[in-house]
Amino acid sequence: MKITAAVVDKKGADFEIRDDVELAPMGPDDLQVHMVATGICHSDEALRIGDAVIGYPIVLGHEGSGIVEKVGPEVTQFKPGDHVVLSFYACGNCKNCLRGIPTQCLNYAHNNLSGTRPDGSAHFTENGKPVADMFDQSSFTTTTVVRERNAVKVDKDLDLRKLGPLGCGYVTGSGTVLNTLKPKPGDTIAVTGTGAVGLAAMMAGKISGCTKVIAIDIVDSRLQLAKELGATDVVNSKEEDPVEAVKKLTGGLGVDWAVDTTGVKAVMEDTIQMLAQGGTTATIAVTPHHIDVDTWNDLCVNDKKIVGVNMGDSIPQIDVPRLIEFYKQGMFDFDKTEKFYSFDQINEANADSRSGKTIKPVLVIDKDYVPGK
């Protein structure tokens, strides 16, 4: 089946929208999904420019939303016409999946970052040659085929154009707080970087009952949005020392929890210094940068911790519906971070994401889609 897809041919190349990409045939537990929209994530850019590598040519995108067109004979949870959000694939059979931790699937890298389908076959081809995929999903397409485990069913009365980023950026930021750090009511949290992931973490801090939710960035407009979404305090780290500012806001103690979404060396190191005794920082950005840590003085003396978190330790089929419920209750207004672009504006949308002009670009692939139908 021929589809239209945005292809990156080599490291650093622009996206090219092509009509001659061939989609793999369906397997027994597959869904064929008509794509309505997809978010653009920093991870897509990291792979485009080569900070992380799967292979080229590649069809990127992993924050898709769409409508099921066909299902394989072994599919039990979906039927044609269902509305879905797509996320990563976990095998469901390894010991970590069976323990309920699919983000630690022992086959995670092979299933999501090998460039092929879990069985090793090509997800896409062009002129008979394999084209790599991402997350067994590749949402920068008009149609894709995914495993049943990639999909999360959502209500048809919701606007599918808004929902795709719930499958990665929003679930990563919020899950880091709700699933991994688990702050208690009355705790304090600081979030460095107020992109989609950072704002999701910040909103999760508010939902958790943190009495101080401190957003840190260098862009005033983003900090203003952070305040609208629930930050108790904001710090422009270009204008003042963020560590000193956080200490001042917390009576000299520092915060119980911190989340870094920037991947900037100095900023990641700052999150350690702004912790209170016994505090933990989660560094979750896709970044080529390393940090320098004095394990005794930076960590041991004050019992501080650094943790890495993959995809917010989420179970998408549980976490995405939970975020939607928070959204319905006005507690998780993720759509305030989004801006819609047409599919053929993909390079403009990606540039706006890189520059910070747009927090979460969303490509509307089906321009005829009508919300609620």
Side-chain angles (χ1 to χ4, degrees), residues 61-96:
H62 59 290
E63 293 187 340
S65 59
I67 301 171
V68 177
E69 293 182 317
K70 299 178 183 178
V71 301
E74 295 180 6
V75 171
T76 61
Q77 303 300 311
F78 299 89
K79 63 183 183 301
D82 283 344
H83 288 199
V84 292
V85 167
L86 304 181
S87 193
F88 64 89
Y89 177 79
C91 73
N93 299 313
C94 71
K95 67 177 185 179
N96 287 340

Side-chain angles (χ1 to χ4, degrees), residues 36-60:
V36 169
T38 178
I40 294 179
C41 176
H42 176 69
S43 298
D44 298 312
E45 177 64 1
L47 287 163
R48 186 188 73 85
I49 65 176
D51 281 352
V53 177
I54 292 177
Y56 304 98
I58 187 168
V59 178
L60 295 169

Side-chain angles (χ1 to χ4, degrees), residues 192 241-243 265-275:
T192 50
D241 183 297
V243 175
K265 173 181 168 64
V267 179
M268 290 189 284
E269 292 171 353
D270 278 349
T271 64
I272 301 170
Q273 303 307 319
M274 62 181 64
L275 291 174

Side-chain angles (χ1 to χ4, degrees), residues 136-154:
D136 191 35
Q137 177 193 146
S138 290
S139 57
F140 293 168
T141 65
T142 51
T143 308
T144 194
V145 167
V146 301
R147 295 291 176 94
E148 186 172 16
R149 289 182 179 275
N150 284 94
V152 182
K153 191 183 301 184
V154 297

